[in-house]
Amino acid sequence: MSVTWDGVNAKGVEQAYVDKNKDILANATFKGDWTAVLKFLDEHGSLINSTRPGSRSGFVPLHQAAYLGAPAAVAESLIEKGAWRSLRDLEGDRPVDIARRNKRDANLVALLEPVNHHNIPQEVVVKLEEYLHQAMHNWPIMEKANFRLPQVSVLMELSSGTLSVPTPGLFGGWQVSILCDGEDAKLKATMSSRMAGSATYEISKTGINEIGREYM
């Protein structure tokens, strides 16, 4: 099953009601109103890993829970709703890093430790992400959207190892999957566009290899 990566971090790129809902969620998490946060996510669960439009921190609800020292039960509920423990904010921090730095409760810190379904050495993760982002070259509107490109660490956390990445201006998007784990880990990234056709790339720690292309 594919999970969706929400990379848009700017106002006015998505429909107005989406921006409004992201603001409502971000305001509730900023205040630490966890009852309101969890109730809102019951109806808008797809926003669990979304930032406020125009966010300067890249915080999503689990980052804010770590920062504020929310009860462990709150963090557990967010994780059950699909919050990614490995997601990095714009400073490169995961929720667990934020909780440790702010000396939060040990139970909260332990709960925020990422649990990976795929094993890829960190130095390989860095190279895979570098080449993945090169393959997903910036379309002009992606800059306008302040688009956050997907993180390989999140792929490792998912049992499916697969992310769907709707992409502004592409009239379609990307699907990124882990092909194999370990020192020789590889990714497959497929771009599909109703305007431009599709292209598929195999990504390794040594580079990018185009393995398929179809034209409209």
Side-chain angles (χ1 to χ4, degrees), residues 12-155:
V13 175
E14 300 176 292
Q15 295 186 14
Y17 78 89
V18 178
D19 282 353
K20 179 180 178 181
N21 283 339
K22 288 182 177 181
D23 275 332
I24 291 170
L25 178 59
N27 288 339
T29 58
F30 181 80
K31 296 174 184 175
D33 187 347
W34 303 116
T35 299
V37 167
L38 296 174
K39 182 177 179 181
F40 189 81
L41 285 169
D42 284 340
E43 299 180 9
H44 305 280
S46 64
L47 301 181
I48 183 67
N49 295 299
S50 296
T51 65
R52 180 194 299 276
S55 171
R56 291 177 293 179
S57 68
F59 270 24
V60 302
L62 197 60
H63 290 113
Q64 195 69 46
Y67 180 76
L68 294 176
V74 167
E76 187 172 16
S77 292
L78 292 172
I79 292 165
E80 288 174 353
K81 291 179 183 297
W84 299 327
R85 287 176 271 198
S86 56
L87 182 64
R88 303 189 306 274
D89 65 14
L90 296 182
E91 296 294 325
D93 289 326
R94 305 165 301 169
V96 69
D97 302 321
I98 296 166
R100 281 203 192 101
R101 185 167 60 246
N102 289 280
K103 297 180 171 57
R104 297 309 182 202
D105 180 77
N107 290 329
L108 177 62
V109 172
L111 189 61
L112 294 175
E113 282 285 358
V115 176
N116 292 330
H117 290 273
H118 301 272
N119 181 26
I120 303 175
Q122 181 57 30
E123 64 273 15
V124 178
V125 169
V126 171
K127 297 305 294 183
L128 289 174
E129 194 162 292
E130 175 186 343
Y131 289 124
L132 173 63
H133 291 180
Q134 284 184 27
M136 299 178 69
H137 55 282
N138 289 328
W139 294 67
I141 197 168
M142 289 175 72
E143 184 174 352
K144 177 184 176 183
N146 198 19
F147 199 81
R148 300 179 306 143
L149 292 168
Q151 299 170 11
V152 173
S153 57
V154 170
L155 285 169

Side-chain angles (χ1 to χ4, degrees), residues 185-197:
K186 293 180 181 178
L187 307 177
K188 182 173 79 171
T190 299
M191 179 276 292
S192 299
S193 169
R194 295 193 299 275
M195 301 293 289

